[in-house]
Amino acid sequence: MDWEGTDVTDGWDWRQPGGTPAPARPPVSGHPPVGSPPTPQGAGGGTTSPWWSDALADPWRDPAAPTAVVLPAAPSPGTEPEPVSDPDAPGRPTLRQLLLIPLITALLAGSLGGALGYAFAVRGGAMGGTVLGADPQAPGLAQRRPESLAGVAERVLPSVVTVRVAGLGGTSEGSGFIASADGHVITNDHVVAGATGKASVVFNDGSSAPATVVGQDPESDIAVIKVSRTGLRPVEFGDSDALAVGDPVLAMGSPLSLANTVTAGIVSALDRTMRAGEPGGPTRYYAAIQTDAAVNHGNSGGPLVDGAGRVIGVNSTIKSLVSEGQEAGNIGLAFAIPINQAKRITQDIIGTGKARRTVIGAQVGGSGAGTGGAGVRLAAVEPSGPAAGAGLRAGDVILKLDGRPMTEPTDLIALVRKFAPGAVVTVEYRRGANRQNASVTLAADAK
């Protein structure tokens, strides 16, 4: 079907083919009848037609269908649309929320702290009430290395013993140390001197065993006893001739009956010549190792140990400021017999029952006269003795022995006895105004 028409606004009308005008349609409420021209809006105002201006030109429009355009009403001034909130947008926290946040945080912190406190209490033994240590493993700084003083003491103490000997005045007590695995023990002569009863040895673990005196040398203050026990651990011997002033040392023993006591110090001096002895007893000469390690009564016969745990001396005597007959105590001046000398004497006692005494074959008469006290004058020289064999004569003044200056007769006797028989020493002496040197081969006493 072919439709054609004219613009309504131009006074045209729709016609059917053949020129017959289309019948008019009944009017729609609120709108003019179909086929009637819309009322145009004049230039001065008026009502705007609701019809589309090009509605009649739409080729797909049914001419019989009413056509209307509904325009939305313009918003009245002063009226704003109701705001719509975004449910996903973050909102401002309320006062209740602000109060809940710290409360929940405090509760969580309290719970965590309580749990940690309980865990630490259980681990430290506070809940059980029996475990006092917090950590069974010692820190690195507390680990005792073998070369530390604690490590040395731990290694040597099992070889240190307490020596008890019954005498007329009661029980004499001193110290000693195991010299051989078959039970030989080295101690001081003055510990076992005057013994009338049995001797006993108390070991580091508290056990004890009877002992017998093998032999003793009063002049060197060395004695050897023996216990019948197997599986003993002997000490390791060092070299007393290799010591230097300032070397660290440990003194071990039973001072004042306090067994397994260890004190530390240094080598204060070497070849400290001295004479000691009790009234009516033998005179003892020492070229001793001086130490400031605390030594008291009961330490006698115990070992003096170097930093490597080797025995380098036998603790023997102390110096004190007390008057005669009073009990002496430590003032930091203790003296030990060099182990090279003590070991030699011990071997003599074990082998022959007695010790050899080293001599130079001369008698000393006093300090060098007219020389400001320097040197020791020889009062007599044995014709066939070591001194005579080296060309020394009575009246000669010994200035040095093996490089050590002589000032007192004690110096010469103590230093000579330090060496073993057969040792060759250099003697510097003065005869008249001349200084000379001689090599002397020391010998053993014929006793």
Side-chain angles (χ1 to χ4, degrees):
M1 180 182 295
D2 185 16
W3 293 93
E4 61 180 0
T6 59
D7 190 351
V8 176
T9 57
D10 294 337
W12 297 355
D13 57 1
W14 289 91
R15 298 179 183 271
Q16 296 181 356
T20 304
R25 291 193 179 189
V28 180
S29 176
H31 297 280
V34 178
S36 60
T39 304
Q41 181 179 1
T47 302
T48 305
S49 173
W51 297 95
W52 289 339
S53 61
D54 59 348
L56 298 180
D58 187 359
W60 304 102
R61 178 182 177 276
D62 185 3
T67 302
V69 177
V70 181
L71 300 176
S76 60
T79 303
E80 296 182 358
E82 181 179 356
V84 179
S85 60
D86 186 358
D88 297 330
R92 177 179 297 179
T94 62
L95 178 61
R96 182 178 180 181
Q97 293 174 333
L98 293 176
L99 294 178
L100 285 176
I101 292 176
L103 178 61
I104 295 174
T105 303
L107 290 175
L108 291 176
S111 301
L112 180 60
L116 292 177
Y118 177 81
F120 287 134
V122 171
R123 183 181 180 185
M127 302 301 293
T130 56
V131 181
L132 299 180
D135 190 351
Q137 295 183 352
L141 292 179
Q143 298 295 333
R144 296 169 183 86
R145 298 182 178 179
E147 66 272 15
S148 66
L149 295 182
V152 170
E154 182 180 8
R155 187 166 66 254
V156 178
L157 275 176
S159 303
V160 181
V161 300
T162 300
V163 179
R164 292 175 180 170
V165 179
L168 295 176
T171 301
S172 174
E173 187 172 282
S175 303
F177 54 93
I178 301 171
S180 65
D182 58 356
H184 289 99
V185 175
I186 297 177
T187 186
N188 280 147
D189 171 73
H190 70 263
V191 172
V192 300
T196 58
K198 295 182 178 180
S200 63
V201 167
V202 181
F203 296 93
N204 175 261
D205 59 2
S207 62
S208 62
T212 58
V213 177
V214 176
Q216 53 197 110
D217 182 38
E219 292 186 358
S220 64
D221 201 17
I222 293 294
V224 180
I225 61 177
K226 191 175 187 300
V227 295
S228 299
R229 176 176 287 194
T230 59
L232 298 178
R233 182 196 298 180
V235 298
E236 180 183 354
F237 290 101
D239 184 3
S240 54
D241 290 336
L243 290 175
V245 174
D247 283 345
V249 291
L250 294 176
M252 303 182 186
S254 303
L256 307 179
S257 299
L258 300 174
N260 305 323
T261 296
V262 179
T263 56
I266 62 169
V267 173
S268 302
L270 295 171
D271 293 333
R272 184 69 76 187
T273 58
M274 55 188 305
R275 185 175 70 175
E278 295 78 19
T283 301
R284 302 182 175 99
Y285 295 91
Y286 300 98
I289 302 168
Q290 180 182 331
T291 176
D292 65 345
V295 172
N296 290 280
H297 285 291
N299 271 119
S300 296
L304 187 68
V305 181
D306 65 9
R310 302 171 301 180
V311 177
I312 45 87
V314 182
N315 296 316
S316 180
T317 187
I318 61 175
K319 284 286 187 179
S320 180
L321 299 176
V322 300
S323 302
E324 186 71 24
Q326 293 180 334
E327 191 73 15
N330 169 66
I331 59 171
L333 295 173
F335 304 91
I337 303 168
I339 196 60
N340 290 0
Q341 179 182 356
K343 184 179 178 181
R344 183 185 74 249
I345 294 172
T346 298
Q347 290 172 335
D348 286 346
I349 293 175
I350 294 175
T352 64
K354 62 179 182 179
R356 297 174 298 166
R357 182 177 62 182
T358 307
V359 296
I360 194 172
Q363 296 180 356
V364 291
S367 58
T371 60
V376 176
R377 185 178 296 277
L378 298 180
V381 174
E382 296 179 4
S384 58
L392 296 174
R393 298 182 300 191
D396 290 345
V397 177
I398 307 298
L399 301 176
K400 292 182 180 180
L401 177 71
D402 200 37
R404 295 167 177 82
M406 303 287 103
T407 57
E408 298 290 339
T410 301
D411 299 337
L412 181 62
I413 299 174
L415 284 171
V416 166
R417 292 186 179 179
K418 174 187 173 181
F419 293 94
V424 178
V425 295
T426 301
V427 174
E428 181 181 342
Y429 66 97
R430 187 184 69 249
R431 180 178 296 166
N434 299 324
R435 287 176 174 256
Q436 303 181 46
N437 292 324
S439 295
V440 180
T441 303
L442 302 177
D445 196 351
K447 70 173 183 176

